[in-house]
Amino acid sequence: MAEEQTEQLPAQQVEAAGKAFEQEFERFARFGDAAQLAGLDLDAALAEQRALSELRTRHLGKKSALAAAKKLVGRVAAEERPAFGQLVKEIEDKVVLELDAVELNLKNQIEEKRTARETIDVTLPGRRPPYGHRHPITLLRERIEDIFVALGYVIEDGREIETDFYNFTALNIPDNHPARGEADTFYTNDGFALRSQTSTVQIHAMQRRGVPIRMIAPGRVFRRDTPDPTHNPMFYQVEGLCVDRGITMGHLKGTVTEFLRRMFGADTVTRFRPSYFPFTEPSAEFDFSCFKCKGAGCRICKNSGWIELGGSGMVHPNVLRAVGVDPQEFSGFAFGLGIDRMCALMYELDDIRLLFENDVRFLEQFE
Amino acid sequence: MLISYNWLRDYCETQFSPDELRERLTMVGLAIDAVERHNSDSVLDVEVPSNRPDCLSHVGIGREVAVIAGKEVRLPRVESFKTEGRAEDLTAVEIKDVDLCARYAARLVRGVKIAPSPDWLVQRLETIGQRPINNVADVTNYVLHELGQPLHAFDFHKLAGPRIVVRRAAPGEKLKTLDGLERTLTNEMLVIADAERPVALAGIMGGEESEISESTTDVLIESAYFEPNSVRRTARQLGMDTEASRRFERGADIEGVLRAQERCVQLICELAGGVASEDSIDIYPRRFEPRTINLRPHRVRDLTSLSVQPVDVVRILTGLQFNVSEEGEQLICTVPSWRIDVEQEEDLVEEVARHTGFDKITDQLPPASASGEYQPSEMKQRLLRRAFNAFGFDEAINFSFIERETQFEPIPLLTTGEVQQPLLKNPIIEEAAFMRYTLLPGLLNSLRHNLNHGIRDVRLFEIGRVFAMTSLGELPAERLALAVVATGGANEANKAQAERDLDFFDVKGALETAIDWMSLSPLSFTQTAAAHLRAGQSARIKLNDGTEIGTIGRLAESVAANYKFRYPVYVLELDLDTLLNGPARVVQYAPLPRYPSVVRDISLLLDRSVSLDELLNVVKDRQVADFRSVKLVGIFEGGNIPSSKRSVTLRLEYRSDERTLRDQEIEERHAQLTSSLLDTFAAEQR
């Protein structure tokens, strides 16, 4: 082989190497046009890429014919060397150019196919650990607590089984009041009451903390109602109390309105109507503009535009006296509302018994 | 209570339409549930607050409307009628139980002709949903709805004596009331009797025997004041609720007794003919004393922030028929006899405020004072909830009352000795008459509910109070508990992982995570039997100071069978009060290692009774130099390992703070630990 080569002139050898490349490259030449690659799938394209890479090594590598021919420069006459150099460069450039063009097209084709193959369905569900849910009453209770803590209130809770004094007497509920009856309030065998409102907590808190005081008492209360779609013998309510010097009904209205705006949106409007509760005087029930229809009338507000939410008023002087606070020096307001009721309104529950059935299909709808 | 718009306008002029009245009355505290058209009239359904019995009539509502409209209320004018003979010459009245009847007035109308009422009367009654009966009965009903005073007409000739005796019933005495039911009475019930027997249930309903009939010619008209509590109690006991009882039990107008009676007698004479007795026998042993209250006008502003001109304060109060006189800065107000709700200055403030309008009160926030505060454990509880959520547990809430339960071990510290559940005197759900001492029965019922609906994987937790009797007459003990129930798969099967059944360690892991999130000291678990847990899969949970707080394990078969559970159920219950107040985890920075550590694994073939804790304690107690940590790598059972044994693989870490340990040093130290373990537990190394 070496003998034969020596017989050829260096320039001839270079040209022969170029020709040899052209011959072998012929089958790749069409790939210079990217459209010609369209039919190749990923595996075929990868095979072609490998073949092309081998071709490059064979014709441009250290052991290629072209490399060998270049080494013959020493045998070229000095005056022909520039022309020889020019020839070598021309052929080499052509080889490189042709290889690069096809390689680029192949690379693009491979990238395209690979992208297609690795494309994911982004609409598949995300991978998540099992996730449980807080009870909707807890969700609301926490929101309510957050709002009132931000308004400077302390959160209090207390016993659920109470004495007559805390459940009724201290709250100015007269001895003959129907709420004290066994038809309305649960009693234990030895005569203690299951608290029928969390106002009991207000009394304990005023005794312990004294006044001034700002507090809310969210908690579980009991009333002797037969379970039906709108009643449960147990429910959650939150009661608020603010006692200080100079507290007025203006502060009551302002506080309840601020709370409801934070809860239901800044455009919430409230309405206070005179009412009667033994533990407040004056007393008021409050309504707020329907959060759903904004007052236009809908199913939730029974087409009135208003939703009745709770009771409120100025703390009855007898209640203040019961905890040793002078009603001439201090005044206060109190309000109460049902968390379950709020829950029923917000989520449009048609049967509040669901709240305590703990069906996971129900619980998992919240949060 | 239904109010006829046209009828109401007899007593007060008003330009307000029925719908306007609805709005205006609502804003003075008389909520109108509905306004309905009725022929040429409108009917207002008024929700009267329980302390305002004076509003349970057309005149009563008229008094409020008059103030709203700035007009005067016009009481019905009593026309003259024919009279003859003094009542005491014809009959007699005696009140035996003055404590239950403070006033009783009887008047006679003789020679009436019982007939249907005229159209105007029939229409008025029908408009407000009352059924017309005959002229005499209808008149008593009409005056009740006009003035609010319940009245009763007896057929005078059916009364033995003929006389009236107001007394407590004899025990077991019987009375057939107008609704045709025979009532058995107790001696707590007040009756109207004649000389021989009860003829009416005082303030509630008349008796059938003395009922007005077509043959009635002479009637005795009763107008009285009965003690509210007595009427309420009797009505409740007998399951009765009448127009009369509703008014008496809230408090009638004791001073209005004669006026209503006179109005009634006049209408009877007019509509049924007859001649009235010249007067009434009016037994009034406990005279009404009008109440006088001083109002300092500035109290209106102090309590409501409303600035009401003194002239408006006087206008409102006199409009409501308070007698007002000025004395220096104060207004001396005499309360009308029908306003039993007005007892003190604040009540007068309310009268002024509601007729000025709560909507006139400007909203304002009280000036800032102290900063807000959560309950001390609230943030920990929130983390606890979220930790259990993160492990797939849903939060449940159950009723506080359950059945009588004996199968569950109570949480420690709730009670000493056998737990006594507080019993409800008046349960509403028959099978839930006891207060819960454990949250588990509620949760297990919830679990069963879900299983019954075809849900197999259920994980629930609940935070709530549990109760136990202490001693009779003492408030029961109450503690906050946490309980967990879980069954089914530990995870949802998918390509990444095969489904695995949930077990003890899933529940334990969730609790341990919660403890970490709450920054509490780690808990310890010791194998112990508990009544409701399956032997061998039950443990007591302890704080790191040794305080026992609860139990965890697999539900015992005997308990599971009661709930018809067919798959393993894991449960946990602990004293949350104690846990939340337990020692906090102390975090102290440890310098990062400067030299590499080396780990060596050791596999031991051990008796199954040796717990991991025991192994770890030996390793730690041995105090081998440069020993840093130990952890469990794996446990192998079955295969060629005898059934009484198991293989435990531990990974021990060695590291020095001074230099890199040489191989030989590590081997020496590891050999020390290995031999201790092998010796202590008579174990084999595998």
Short mmCIF file of all heavy atoms in Angstrom, two decimals, chain A residues 132-134 138 142 146 155 159-161 176 182 185 187 189 214 220 224 249 253 281 316 328 360 364, chain B residues 229 232 296 303 344 347 350 358 361 367 373-374 382 386 389 394-395 397 400 423 425-426 450 476 478:
data_model
loop_
_atom_site.label_atom_id
_atom_site.label_comp_id
_atom_site.label_asym_id
_atom_site.label_seq_id
_atom_site.Cartn_x
_atom_site.Cartn_y
_atom_site.Cartn_z
N GLY A 132 -54.76 15.64 54.14
CA GLY A 132 -56.02 15.72 54.89
C GLY A 132 -56.51 17.15 54.97
O GLY A 132 -55.85 18.07 54.49
N HIS A 133 -57.66 17.31 55.57
CA HIS A 133 -58.31 18.62 55.56
C HIS A 133 -58.75 19.01 56.95
O HIS A 133 -59.19 18.18 57.73
CB HIS A 133 -59.53 18.57 54.64
CG HIS A 133 -59.17 18.21 53.24
ND1 HIS A 133 -59.11 19.13 52.24
CD2 HIS A 133 -58.79 17.03 52.70
CE1 HIS A 133 -58.72 18.53 51.12
NE2 HIS A 133 -58.53 17.26 51.38
N ARG A 134 -58.66 20.29 57.22
CA ARG A 134 -59.22 20.78 58.47
C ARG A 134 -60.73 20.84 58.33
O ARG A 134 -61.26 21.01 57.23
CB ARG A 134 -58.69 22.19 58.77
CG ARG A 134 -57.35 22.16 59.46
CD ARG A 134 -56.81 23.55 59.60
NE ARG A 134 -56.41 24.08 58.30
CZ ARG A 134 -56.23 25.37 58.05
NH1 ARG A 134 -56.42 26.25 59.00
NH2 ARG A 134 -55.86 25.76 56.86
N THR A 138 -63.29 24.62 61.85
CA THR A 138 -61.95 25.05 62.27
C THR A 138 -61.44 26.15 61.33
O THR A 138 -60.86 27.14 61.78
CB THR A 138 -60.98 23.86 62.25
OG1 THR A 138 -61.45 22.87 63.16
CG2 THR A 138 -59.57 24.29 62.65
N GLU A 142 -60.50 29.74 62.86
CA GLU A 142 -59.16 30.31 62.78
C GLU A 142 -59.17 31.68 62.09
O GLU A 142 -58.50 32.61 62.51
CB GLU A 142 -58.22 29.33 62.06
CG GLU A 142 -57.93 28.09 62.90
CD GLU A 142 -56.92 27.14 62.25
OE1 GLU A 142 -56.50 27.39 61.11
OE2 GLU A 142 -56.55 26.15 62.92
N ASP A 146 -58.05 35.12 63.85
CA ASP A 146 -57.00 35.96 63.27
C ASP A 146 -57.45 37.42 63.16
O ASP A 146 -56.70 38.34 63.45
CB ASP A 146 -56.59 35.42 61.89
CG ASP A 146 -55.89 34.08 61.97
OD1 ASP A 146 -55.50 33.68 63.10
OD2 ASP A 146 -55.73 33.41 60.94
N ILE A 155 -58.15 35.73 72.83
CA ILE A 155 -59.02 34.59 72.61
C ILE A 155 -59.13 33.84 73.93
O ILE A 155 -58.13 33.59 74.58
CB ILE A 155 -58.45 33.64 71.54
CG1 ILE A 155 -57.92 34.41 70.34
CG2 ILE A 155 -59.48 32.59 71.15
CD1 ILE A 155 -58.92 35.10 69.50
N ARG A 159 -64.83 26.01 80.31
CA ARG A 159 -65.54 24.75 80.51
C ARG A 159 -66.74 24.63 79.58
O ARG A 159 -67.34 25.63 79.20
CB ARG A 159 -66.06 24.67 81.95
CG ARG A 159 -65.02 24.75 83.03
CD ARG A 159 -65.69 24.47 84.38
NE ARG A 159 -66.37 23.21 84.33
CZ ARG A 159 -65.81 22.03 84.60
NH1 ARG A 159 -64.57 21.99 84.99
NH2 ARG A 159 -66.49 20.93 84.50
N GLU A 160 -67.10 23.38 79.26
CA GLU A 160 -68.31 23.16 78.47
C GLU A 160 -69.48 22.75 79.37
O GLU A 160 -70.63 22.89 79.00
CB GLU A 160 -68.05 22.12 77.37
CG GLU A 160 -67.19 22.73 76.27
CD GLU A 160 -66.75 21.75 75.19
OE1 GLU A 160 -67.27 20.62 75.13
OE2 GLU A 160 -65.87 22.13 74.40
N ILE A 161 -69.16 22.21 80.53
CA ILE A 161 -70.22 21.93 81.51
C ILE A 161 -70.07 23.00 82.60
O ILE A 161 -68.99 23.19 83.13
CB ILE A 161 -70.10 20.52 82.11
CG1 ILE A 161 -70.16 19.48 80.99
CG2 ILE A 161 -71.21 20.27 83.13
CD1 ILE A 161 -70.09 18.03 81.46
N ASN A 176 -87.07 32.48 85.68
CA ASN A 176 -88.18 31.85 84.96
C ASN A 176 -87.98 31.85 83.46
O ASN A 176 -88.87 31.54 82.70
CB ASN A 176 -89.48 32.61 85.30
CG ASN A 176 -89.36 34.09 84.98
OD1 ASN A 176 -88.51 34.50 84.18
ND2 ASN A 176 -90.19 34.90 85.60
N GLU A 182 -85.71 22.77 80.92
CA GLU A 182 -85.13 21.51 80.45
C GLU A 182 -85.47 21.24 78.99
O GLU A 182 -84.91 20.36 78.37
CB GLU A 182 -85.60 20.35 81.33
CG GLU A 182 -84.86 20.32 82.65
CD GLU A 182 -85.33 19.20 83.55
OE1 GLU A 182 -85.88 18.22 83.02
OE2 GLU A 182 -85.16 19.35 84.77
N THR A 185 -82.24 23.69 77.49
CA THR A 185 -80.85 23.53 77.91
C THR A 185 -80.64 22.11 78.43
O THR A 185 -81.49 21.58 79.13
CB THR A 185 -80.51 24.57 79.01
OG1 THR A 185 -80.62 25.86 78.43
CG2 THR A 185 -79.10 24.38 79.53
N TYR A 187 -79.07 19.39 80.87
CA TYR A 187 -78.55 19.34 82.24
C TYR A 187 -77.99 17.96 82.52
O TYR A 187 -78.52 16.96 82.04
CB TYR A 187 -79.66 19.65 83.25
CG TYR A 187 -80.06 21.10 83.26
CD1 TYR A 187 -81.14 21.54 82.51
CD2 TYR A 187 -79.32 22.03 83.99
CE1 TYR A 187 -81.50 22.87 82.49
CE2 TYR A 187 -79.68 23.38 83.98
CZ TYR A 187 -80.76 23.79 83.23
OH TYR A 187 -81.11 25.11 83.23
N ASN A 189 -77.25 14.98 85.29
CA ASN A 189 -78.07 14.43 86.35
C ASN A 189 -77.96 15.20 87.66
O ASN A 189 -78.91 15.29 88.41
CB ASN A 189 -77.67 12.98 86.60
CG ASN A 189 -78.81 12.07 86.30
OD1 ASN A 189 -79.83 12.52 85.75
ND2 ASN A 189 -78.67 10.80 86.67
N ARG A 214 -60.87 43.08 76.17
CA ARG A 214 -61.39 42.84 74.81
C ARG A 214 -61.12 41.38 74.52
O ARG A 214 -59.96 40.96 74.53
CB ARG A 214 -60.64 43.68 73.79
CG ARG A 214 -61.13 45.09 73.80
CD ARG A 214 -60.30 45.98 72.96
NE ARG A 214 -60.45 47.31 73.51
CZ ARG A 214 -60.14 48.42 72.88
NH1 ARG A 214 -59.66 48.37 71.67
NH2 ARG A 214 -60.32 49.57 73.45
N ARG A 220 -67.77 25.50 71.55
CA ARG A 220 -68.86 24.55 71.35
C ARG A 220 -69.96 24.85 72.36
O ARG A 220 -69.67 25.04 73.54
CB ARG A 220 -68.26 23.17 71.63
CG ARG A 220 -69.12 22.00 71.46
CD ARG A 220 -68.33 20.74 71.82
NE ARG A 220 -67.41 20.36 70.76
CZ ARG A 220 -67.28 19.10 70.30
NH1 ARG A 220 -67.99 18.12 70.82
NH2 ARG A 220 -66.44 18.83 69.34
N ARG A 224 -81.00 22.24 73.22
CA ARG A 224 -81.75 20.99 73.09
C ARG A 224 -82.62 21.00 71.85
O ARG A 224 -83.84 20.96 71.93
CB ARG A 224 -82.57 20.79 74.35
CG ARG A 224 -82.51 19.35 74.84
CD ARG A 224 -83.22 19.16 76.14
NE ARG A 224 -83.81 17.84 76.19
CZ ARG A 224 -84.98 17.53 75.67
NH1 ARG A 224 -85.71 18.44 75.10
NH2 ARG A 224 -85.42 16.28 75.76
N MET A 249 -72.38 52.12 71.63
CA MET A 249 -72.92 51.31 70.54
C MET A 249 -72.24 51.63 69.22
O MET A 249 -72.21 50.80 68.31
CB MET A 249 -74.42 51.54 70.39
CG MET A 249 -75.25 50.72 71.35
SD MET A 249 -76.99 50.80 70.91
CE MET A 249 -77.16 49.34 69.91
N LYS A 253 -71.05 48.80 66.63
CA LYS A 253 -71.35 48.76 65.20
C LYS A 253 -70.06 48.78 64.38
O LYS A 253 -69.91 48.03 63.42
CB LYS A 253 -72.23 49.95 64.81
CG LYS A 253 -73.67 49.81 65.27
CD LYS A 253 -74.52 50.99 64.78
CE LYS A 253 -74.68 50.98 63.27
NZ LYS A 253 -75.43 52.16 62.78
N GLU A 281 -78.39 45.61 77.00
CA GLU A 281 -79.39 46.68 77.00
C GLU A 281 -78.69 47.97 76.63
O GLU A 281 -77.80 48.38 77.37
CB GLU A 281 -80.05 46.78 78.38
CG GLU A 281 -81.25 47.68 78.43
CD GLU A 281 -82.47 47.10 77.73
OE1 GLU A 281 -82.70 45.88 77.83
OE2 GLU A 281 -83.17 47.86 77.06
N HIS A 316 -75.36 44.41 79.73
CA HIS A 316 -76.35 44.80 80.73
C HIS A 316 -75.65 45.15 82.04
O HIS A 316 -74.74 44.44 82.46
CB HIS A 316 -77.33 43.63 80.95
CG HIS A 316 -78.60 44.06 81.62
ND1 HIS A 316 -78.65 44.35 82.95
CD2 HIS A 316 -79.85 44.26 81.13
CE1 HIS A 316 -79.89 44.70 83.27
NE2 HIS A 316 -80.64 44.66 82.17
N GLN A 328 -71.39 52.45 86.12
CA GLN A 328 -71.34 53.90 85.93
C GLN A 328 -69.98 54.32 85.39
O GLN A 328 -69.83 55.33 84.74
CB GLN A 328 -71.62 54.63 87.26
CG GLN A 328 -73.01 54.42 87.81
CD GLN A 328 -74.11 54.82 86.83
OE1 GLN A 328 -73.99 55.79 86.09
NE2 GLN A 328 -75.19 54.04 86.79
N VAL A 360 -65.89 11.66 54.81
CA VAL A 360 -64.68 12.26 54.24
C VAL A 360 -64.96 12.91 52.88
O VAL A 360 -64.27 13.84 52.48
CB VAL A 360 -63.51 11.26 54.13
CG1 VAL A 360 -63.10 10.76 55.51
CG2 VAL A 360 -63.85 10.10 53.22
N GLU A 364 -63.46 16.60 52.67
CA GLU A 364 -62.40 16.88 51.70
C GLU A 364 -62.76 17.97 50.69
O GLU A 364 -61.97 18.30 49.82
CB GLU A 364 -61.97 15.57 51.03
CG GLU A 364 -61.19 14.72 52.02
CD GLU A 364 -60.85 13.32 51.55
OE1 GLU A 364 -61.22 12.97 50.42
OE2 GLU A 364 -60.22 12.59 52.34
N ASN B 229 -95.19 32.82 85.47
CA ASN B 229 -94.48 31.53 85.57
C ASN B 229 -95.44 30.36 85.75
O ASN B 229 -95.22 29.27 85.24
CB ASN B 229 -93.51 31.55 86.75
CG ASN B 229 -92.37 32.49 86.45
OD1 ASN B 229 -91.93 32.60 85.30
ND2 ASN B 229 -91.93 33.20 87.47
N ARG B 232 -96.98 29.60 82.42
CA ARG B 232 -96.01 28.97 81.53
C ARG B 232 -95.82 27.50 81.91
O ARG B 232 -95.85 26.60 81.08
CB ARG B 232 -94.67 29.70 81.59
CG ARG B 232 -93.60 29.03 80.72
CD ARG B 232 -92.26 29.74 80.79
NE ARG B 232 -92.38 31.14 80.38
CZ ARG B 232 -92.13 32.16 81.17
NH1 ARG B 232 -91.73 31.95 82.42
NH2 ARG B 232 -92.26 33.39 80.75
N ARG B 296 -80.80 60.20 83.18
CA ARG B 296 -79.87 61.30 82.94
C ARG B 296 -79.64 61.34 81.44
O ARG B 296 -79.06 60.40 80.88
CB ARG B 296 -78.55 61.07 83.67
CG ARG B 296 -78.71 61.06 85.20
CD ARG B 296 -77.54 60.40 85.89
NE ARG B 296 -77.51 58.96 85.60
CZ ARG B 296 -76.48 58.17 85.88
NH1 ARG B 296 -75.39 58.66 86.45
NH2 ARG B 296 -76.52 56.89 85.58
N LEU B 303 -73.93 55.66 76.24
CA LEU B 303 -74.08 54.26 75.85
C LEU B 303 -74.23 54.04 74.35
O LEU B 303 -73.89 52.99 73.84
CB LEU B 303 -75.30 53.64 76.56
CG LEU B 303 -75.09 53.32 78.04
CD1 LEU B 303 -76.40 52.87 78.67
CD2 LEU B 303 -74.04 52.23 78.22
N GLN B 344 -84.91 49.83 84.36
CA GLN B 344 -83.83 50.70 84.79
C GLN B 344 -83.45 51.68 83.69
O GLN B 344 -83.95 51.61 82.58
CB GLN B 344 -82.63 49.88 85.25
CG GLN B 344 -82.21 48.85 84.22
CD GLN B 344 -81.31 47.79 84.82
OE1 GLN B 344 -80.79 47.96 85.91
NE2 GLN B 344 -81.12 46.72 84.09
N ASP B 347 -82.83 50.78 80.13
CA ASP B 347 -84.00 50.43 79.34
C ASP B 347 -84.59 51.67 78.69
O ASP B 347 -85.09 51.63 77.57
CB ASP B 347 -85.05 49.74 80.22
CG ASP B 347 -84.53 48.44 80.83
OD1 ASP B 347 -83.79 47.72 80.12
OD2 ASP B 347 -84.84 48.16 82.00
N GLU B 350 -82.56 52.62 75.78
CA GLU B 350 -82.90 51.83 74.60
C GLU B 350 -84.15 52.38 73.91
O GLU B 350 -84.21 52.45 72.68
CB GLU B 350 -83.14 50.36 74.97
CG GLU B 350 -83.53 49.53 73.75
CD GLU B 350 -83.63 48.05 74.05
OE1 GLU B 350 -84.49 47.66 74.86
OE2 GLU B 350 -82.84 47.30 73.47
N PHE B 358 -81.11 53.13 65.27
CA PHE B 358 -79.76 52.58 65.40
C PHE B 358 -78.93 52.94 64.16
O PHE B 358 -77.71 53.00 64.21
CB PHE B 358 -79.80 51.05 65.56
CG PHE B 358 -80.21 50.58 66.93
CD1 PHE B 358 -80.59 51.48 67.93
CD2 PHE B 358 -80.19 49.21 67.25
CE1 PHE B 358 -80.97 51.03 69.20
CE2 PHE B 358 -80.57 48.77 68.51
CZ PHE B 358 -80.96 49.67 69.49
N ILE B 361 -76.49 55.79 64.43
CA ILE B 361 -75.26 55.64 65.23
C ILE B 361 -74.09 55.45 64.27
O ILE B 361 -74.12 54.58 63.41
CB ILE B 361 -75.37 54.43 66.18
CG1 ILE B 361 -76.53 54.63 67.16
CG2 ILE B 361 -74.06 54.19 66.91
CD1 ILE B 361 -76.84 53.43 68.03
N PRO B 367 -60.89 52.99 70.59
CA PRO B 367 -59.46 53.34 70.52
C PRO B 367 -58.61 52.13 70.89
O PRO B 367 -59.00 51.32 71.73
CB PRO B 367 -59.30 54.45 71.55
CG PRO B 367 -60.63 54.69 72.16
CD PRO B 367 -61.64 53.79 71.55
N GLU B 373 -54.17 38.50 71.55
CA GLU B 373 -53.48 37.33 72.10
C GLU B 373 -54.26 36.08 71.74
O GLU B 373 -55.47 36.02 71.97
CB GLU B 373 -53.57 37.42 73.63
CG GLU B 373 -52.30 37.52 74.39
CD GLU B 373 -52.65 37.70 75.87
OE1 GLU B 373 -53.04 36.70 76.51
OE2 GLU B 373 -52.56 38.84 76.35
N TYR B 374 -53.57 35.10 71.20
CA TYR B 374 -54.21 33.80 70.99
C TYR B 374 -54.22 33.05 72.31
O TYR B 374 -53.51 33.41 73.25
CB TYR B 374 -53.45 32.99 69.95
CG TYR B 374 -53.61 33.51 68.54
CD1 TYR B 374 -52.68 34.38 67.99
CD2 TYR B 374 -54.71 33.14 67.78
CE1 TYR B 374 -52.83 34.86 66.70
CE2 TYR B 374 -54.86 33.61 66.49
CZ TYR B 374 -53.93 34.48 65.95
OH TYR B 374 -54.10 34.96 64.69
N ARG B 382 -52.68 24.52 65.94
CA ARG B 382 -52.77 24.70 64.49
C ARG B 382 -51.72 23.84 63.79
O ARG B 382 -51.99 23.24 62.75
CB ARG B 382 -52.58 26.18 64.13
CG ARG B 382 -53.75 27.03 64.55
CD ARG B 382 -53.68 28.43 63.98
NE ARG B 382 -54.82 29.20 64.46
CZ ARG B 382 -55.15 30.41 64.02
NH1 ARG B 382 -54.41 30.99 63.09
NH2 ARG B 382 -56.20 31.03 64.50
N ARG B 386 -52.26 20.71 61.15
CA ARG B 386 -51.63 20.68 59.83
C ARG B 386 -50.70 19.47 59.67
O ARG B 386 -50.59 18.92 58.57
CB ARG B 386 -50.91 21.99 59.57
CG ARG B 386 -51.89 23.08 59.16
CD ARG B 386 -51.36 24.47 59.41
NE ARG B 386 -52.35 25.51 59.22
CZ ARG B 386 -53.40 25.73 60.02
NH1 ARG B 386 -53.65 24.91 61.04
NH2 ARG B 386 -54.22 26.72 59.79
N ASN B 389 -52.94 16.69 58.90
CA ASN B 389 -53.40 16.90 57.52
C ASN B 389 -52.34 16.42 56.54
O ASN B 389 -52.63 15.78 55.55
CB ASN B 389 -53.66 18.39 57.25
CG ASN B 389 -54.92 18.91 57.93
OD1 ASN B 389 -55.07 20.11 58.12
ND2 ASN B 389 -55.83 18.02 58.30
N ASP B 394 -58.09 13.64 57.99
CA ASP B 394 -59.11 14.69 57.96
C ASP B 394 -59.55 14.99 59.38
O ASP B 394 -59.64 14.09 60.22
CB ASP B 394 -60.33 14.24 57.15
CG ASP B 394 -60.02 14.13 55.67
OD1 ASP B 394 -59.33 15.03 55.15
OD2 ASP B 394 -60.45 13.15 55.04
N GLU B 395 -59.88 16.25 59.61
CA GLU B 395 -60.35 16.61 60.95
C GLU B 395 -61.85 16.33 61.09
O GLU B 395 -62.65 16.76 60.26
CB GLU B 395 -60.09 18.09 61.25
CG GLU B 395 -60.46 18.42 62.68
CD GLU B 395 -60.33 19.90 63.04
OE1 GLU B 395 -60.16 20.72 62.12
OE2 GLU B 395 -60.40 20.21 64.22
N ILE B 397 -65.41 16.28 63.70
CA ILE B 397 -66.02 16.82 64.91
C ILE B 397 -67.25 15.97 65.22
O ILE B 397 -68.11 15.79 64.35
CB ILE B 397 -66.42 18.30 64.76
CG1 ILE B 397 -65.18 19.17 64.49
CG2 ILE B 397 -67.16 18.79 65.99
CD1 ILE B 397 -65.49 20.65 64.31
N SER B 400 -70.69 15.76 71.68
CA SER B 400 -70.06 15.49 72.98
C SER B 400 -70.78 14.40 73.75
O SER B 400 -70.31 13.96 74.78
CB SER B 400 -70.05 16.76 73.83
OG SER B 400 -69.34 17.77 73.17
N LEU B 423 -74.08 11.84 83.19
CA LEU B 423 -75.31 11.42 82.53
C LEU B 423 -76.20 12.64 82.31
O LEU B 423 -76.33 13.48 83.21
CB LEU B 423 -76.03 10.39 83.42
CG LEU B 423 -77.45 10.00 83.04
CD1 LEU B 423 -77.51 9.33 81.67
CD2 LEU B 423 -78.05 9.07 84.09
N LYS B 425 -79.66 14.55 82.06
CA LYS B 425 -81.00 14.41 82.61
C LYS B 425 -82.02 14.43 81.48
O LYS B 425 -83.04 13.78 81.54
CB LYS B 425 -81.21 15.64 83.51
CG LYS B 425 -82.31 15.61 84.48
CD LYS B 425 -82.22 16.95 85.19
CE LYS B 425 -83.13 17.06 86.36
NZ LYS B 425 -82.93 18.40 86.98
N ASN B 426 -81.74 15.21 80.44
CA ASN B 426 -82.71 15.42 79.37
C ASN B 426 -82.05 15.30 77.99
O ASN B 426 -81.95 16.27 77.25
CB ASN B 426 -83.38 16.79 79.51
CG ASN B 426 -82.37 17.93 79.59
OD1 ASN B 426 -81.19 17.71 79.86
ND2 ASN B 426 -82.82 19.13 79.32
N ASN B 450 -68.25 6.03 57.07
CA ASN B 450 -67.52 6.11 55.80
C ASN B 450 -67.39 4.75 55.13
O ASN B 450 -67.58 4.63 53.92
CB ASN B 450 -66.14 6.73 56.03
CG ASN B 450 -66.22 8.24 56.17
OD1 ASN B 450 -66.50 8.94 55.20
ND2 ASN B 450 -66.02 8.74 57.38
N PRO B 476 -67.98 18.19 86.70
CA PRO B 476 -67.19 17.09 86.15
C PRO B 476 -65.81 17.56 85.70
O PRO B 476 -65.62 18.74 85.43
CB PRO B 476 -68.01 16.63 84.94
CG PRO B 476 -69.35 17.23 85.09
CD PRO B 476 -69.19 18.46 85.92
N GLU B 478 -62.95 18.02 83.05
CA GLU B 478 -62.94 18.24 81.60
C GLU B 478 -61.50 18.32 81.16
O GLU B 478 -60.70 19.03 81.76
CB GLU B 478 -63.58 19.59 81.24
CG GLU B 478 -65.07 19.61 81.30
CD GLU B 478 -65.67 20.93 80.76
OE1 GLU B 478 -65.00 21.66 80.03
OE2 GLU B 478 -66.82 21.20 81.12
#
